[in-house]
Amino acid sequence: MQSVQAVPNARHPGAGRRMARDTPKGRQVTDAARQAVAALLAGRDRQRDLLIEHLHLIQDAHGRIPTDLLAALAEAMRLSFAEVFEVATFYAHFDVTDTDPPVEIRVCDSIACQMQGADALAAAIAAGTPARLQRVPCVGRCDLAPVAVVGQNTLDRATPDQVFAALAEGATQPVLPPSIDYDRYRLNGGYQTLARLRAGALTAEAVLQALDDARLAGKGGAGFPTGRKWRTVRDQPGTKLMAVNGDEGEPGTFKDRHYLETDPHRFLEGMLIAAEVVGAAEIYIYLRDEYPAARAILTAELAKLPADGPRIHLRRGAGAYVCGEESAMLESIEGKRGLPRHKPPFVFQVGLFGHPTLVNNVETLWWVRDIVERGPAWWRGHGRRDRTGLISFSVSGRVAHPGVKLAPAGISLRELIDEYCGGIAPGHTLRGYLPGGASGGILPATLADVALDFGTLEQYGSFIGSAAVVVFSQADDLRAVALNLMRFFRHESCGQCTPCRLGTEKAAALMDQPDWDWPLLQELSAVMRDASICGLGQAAPNPVLTLLRHFPEVVGA
């Protein structure tokens, strides 16, 4: 057979010949980067689902993630550089850069902080220091607005001088609030219910019946019956897992942080009871990265628990609101981008690592011990206007005393403000409110006497969700409020589906104009509601549509 030789191309000499490379293909790992990453990972497992945890190690050590260390991490974990890069750049708290100085100061610019002067605070900080400043979405301290964060040290009701002082003193670590530790919790009867359950003195069916009789609804926003969810997971075949959603990123919400920072073991006991009832082999707690104090408290208190239950993993978010959606959270726990999954299958069928998974919110689990010990009648004994139970309202905005307010379900906004918040802030008059954070829409003062609970606000185009109440007055520009919320959704869209990715971007651009194109905004809203994969895109139009419905004079409709 006659051999065939490659013939050089007349235009491109050398074409047709296999040429030797001057450098190896792909991004190369330097010895220095390899050694730096090896030191950070010393003694740690390197399985795929720990990718985000290991990215945090680099970010914490350097204030950013240099690309040479990113490449070394990919090599150490036997992953492609592209795979590691796409995860690192998906999350807002990972700063993948080689040239920029580390971000030292973050100023929250979500709605509660903006109302309390975040713009002026950020401008003063930028003018007074060369330190790198970043405007960020809600950090979960809306009752203490405006908030600045220096490193991991949150400064409540921040002033420029406080920020400059923290920088000068190197005060970059979180300040831990007082909380009930393991020993104190045990002295007050803690973990006795769990012990009775494990010993057989209390049956799993009795726990489920108590939750059913109390009609405890999930506190994460959807309000699904807790007992029914536990039964559904328990009845699935095979190994079962549990995931706790501590990623409360909804602007205006901070109740979970409050409970984790004050009485963490009440939550942990409820979590362990749930795992025992459904038969979960392992538990993953997913905590938003904006809560470093809560993370430090949990890390210390988890270490005090006896090693006789399911293995507990504390996983750290990285700044992605979409990971509050349960399937996106599971993707993040697995070390991936937090992209919501298509359903079915549902997470109770095919969840974390492919196993049936129980997903509960922090506050939901926090109430389990009380309901089992005090009885369903105690829980049902609270409520107004034919509603039952208690609701932890995160209240911020124009009230005299913002904060977490534990109030009966069915209470009205007016009662909540007058009885629990010391009234409206001096000099302000109630104009409107968010009953359920950014997703819940904007309601007018004329609806301040409507019961606040699941199923009571939907007829007004709104819902209570996670009970994040932000109060507005005559001092607030409601068009600017709606634009702030839409910009939040635009920033937090994961980009997976076109209706949400482009819809939020286009809506924000339209709302930034002096005259709003209402036909186009309504058309965009319909597409986002009907075709978005998850609740982020489906709920993003709510502030716009409720503004049109209840405040037509504000938007010229």
Side-chain angles (χ1 to χ4, degrees):
M1 181 175 180
Q2 187 177 3
S3 62
V4 179
Q5 295 182 341
V7 179
N9 186 294
R11 279 185 168 178
H12 303 283
R17 294 198 300 268
R18 190 179 298 275
M19 304 294 290
R21 285 183 172 273
D22 293 331
T23 58
K25 184 179 180 180
R27 184 178 293 273
Q28 300 305 296
V29 180
T30 66
D31 288 339
R34 187 177 289 116
Q35 292 170 8
V37 168
L40 288 172
L41 299 187
R44 298 175 183 271
D45 293 333
R46 302 188 182 188
Q47 68 260 28
R48 174 66 178 77
D49 59 285
L50 289 173
L51 173 57
I52 293 174
E53 294 296 303
H54 295 342
L55 288 169
H56 275 301
L57 292 175
I58 299 175
Q59 177 76 39
D60 289 346
H62 298 272
R64 57 190 177 92
I65 302 181
T67 52
D68 61 338
L69 298 189
L70 201 65
L73 179 63
E75 179 187 81
M77 298 188 70
R78 299 183 181 275
L79 300 171
S80 71
F81 179 81
E83 187 174 8
V84 174
F85 182 85
E86 74 173 8
V87 171
T89 54
F90 177 86
Y91 295 94
H93 288 190
F94 294 140
D95 192 15
V96 181
T97 180
D98 289 323
T99 57
D100 290 338
V103 173
E104 295 183 71
I105 308 165
R106 292 178 169 85
V107 174
C108 176
D109 65 0
S110 283
I111 189 60
C113 284
Q114 187 182 66
M115 292 165 64
Q116 300 294 341
D119 291 339
L121 174 64
I125 294 171
T129 176
R132 187 176 170 200
L133 170 71
Q134 186 178 48
R135 304 290 294 269
V136 296
C138 186
V139 296
R141 305 183 75 84
C142 314
D143 55 330
L144 302 166
V147 177
V149 185
V150 179
Q152 294 186 5
N153 180 17
T154 53
L155 302 177
D156 300 329
R157 300 188 178 94
T159 66
D161 287 344
Q162 286 178 310
V163 173
F164 301 149
L167 283 172
E169 296 166 5
T172 60
Q173 295 305 305
V175 177
L176 305 190
S179 62
I180 299 174
D181 65 7
Y182 177 75
D183 291 336
R184 183 178 166 195
Y185 183 73
R186 288 291 303 271
L187 286 174
N188 293 327
Y191 291 110
Q192 291 183 7
T193 299
L194 175 64
R196 291 176 57 225
L197 178 64
R198 288 177 172 174
L202 174 68
T203 66
E205 183 58 36
V207 173
L208 290 169
Q209 193 62 52
L211 297 178
D212 288 341
D213 291 346
R215 299 193 290 274
L216 177 65
K219 300 295 187 177
F224 192 84
T226 303
R228 189 192 310 172
K229 177 182 283 191
W230 289 20
R231 290 180 188 276
T232 303
V233 175
R234 186 184 65 165
D235 292 343
Q236 299 301 307
T239 301
K240 291 175 276 290
L241 301 176
M242 181 177 179
V244 177
N245 193 337
D247 195 58
E248 59 170 0
E250 184 77 23
T253 309
F254 45 90
K255 61 184 178 63
D256 287 351
R257 173 186 60 79
H258 168 76
Y259 288 124
L260 289 173
E261 291 181 351
T262 57
D263 195 359
H265 283 281
R266 192 170 298 269
F267 148 68
L268 292 174
E269 183 172 11
M271 176 187 77
L272 290 169
I273 290 171
E276 188 74 21
V277 169
V278 304
E282 298 189 49
I283 303 171
Y284 290 78
I285 304 172
Y286 188 83
L287 183 66
R288 69 180 308 211
D289 197 33
E290 288 85 348
Y291 291 170
R295 185 171 66 252
I297 291 170
L298 279 177
T299 299
E301 297 306 314
L302 283 170
K304 300 175 183 178
L305 294 179
D308 58 354
R311 186 179 179 188
I312 303 172
H313 309 262
L314 180 58
R315 291 295 174 86
R316 184 175 168 185
Y321 167 74
V322 72
C323 290
E325 195 276 336
E326 62 177 6
S327 66
M329 177 188 68
L330 300 187
E331 290 288 297
S332 189
I333 291 173
E334 292 177 2
K336 306 171 187 174
R337 293 176 294 165
L339 302 180
R341 299 175 181 175
H342 292 274
K343 302 172 184 177
F346 298 96
V347 299
F348 74 84
Q349 300 166 312
V350 181
L352 193 57
F353 307 117
H355 295 287
T357 303
L358 173 66
V359 177
N360 273 139
N361 163 262
V362 167
E363 191 202 350
T364 307
L365 298 169
W366 199 88
W367 286 115
V368 168
R369 175 192 165 189
D370 280 323
I371 289 175
V372 173
E373 292 182 359
R374 300 189 183 193
W378 165 79
W379 181 260
R380 294 198 312 269
H382 300 279
R384 299 182 185 179
R385 298 177 177 84
D386 298 323
R387 317 301 296 186
T388 59
L390 293 164
I391 296 178
S392 301
F393 290 94
S394 304
V395 185
S396 61
R398 309 300 185 182
V399 296
H401 303 301
V404 175
K405 311 297 180 180
L406 184 60
I411 194 172
S412 70
L413 176 78
R414 197 180 311 279
E415 293 167 340
L416 182 65
I417 293 174
D418 291 342
E419 298 175 29
Y420 291 83
C421 302
I424 203 79
H428 292 267
T429 302
L430 178 64
R431 187 183 187 191
Y433 64 105
L434 298 176
S439 302
I442 306 171
L443 295 182
T446 54
L447 295 177
D449 296 311
V450 174
L452 296 176
D453 199 2
F454 293 104
T456 62
L457 303 175
E458 283 75 5
Q459 61 182 311
Y460 306 110
S462 183
F463 55 83
I464 193 171
S466 59
V469 175
V470 185
V471 178
F472 306 117
S473 76
Q474 80 284 357
D476 300 307
D477 179 350
L478 296 185
R479 282 171 55 112
V481 168
L483 176 58
N484 178 286
L485 301 178
M486 186 57 72
R487 284 172 173 166
F488 169 80
F489 289 122
R490 178 188 64 187
H491 180 271
E492 296 299 326
S493 173
C494 74
Q496 180 179 191
C497 68
T498 302
C500 178
R501 181 181 68 249
L502 296 184
T504 53
E505 181 178 351
K506 182 64 175 178
L510 290 170
M511 294 166 68
D512 206 17
Q513 301 301 313
D515 298 315
W516 289 6
D517 185 340
W518 274 113
L520 186 53
L521 277 171
Q522 289 176 293
E523 184 178 354
L524 271 173
S525 297
V527 172
M528 292 166 68
R529 280 186 160 183
D530 292 343
S532 294
I533 291 174
C534 79
L536 192 157
Q538 295 163 11
N542 286 347
V544 180
L545 296 178
T546 51
L547 201 63
L548 173 62
R549 179 174 179 176
H550 300 295
F551 300 91
E553 73 285 356
V554 170
V555 295

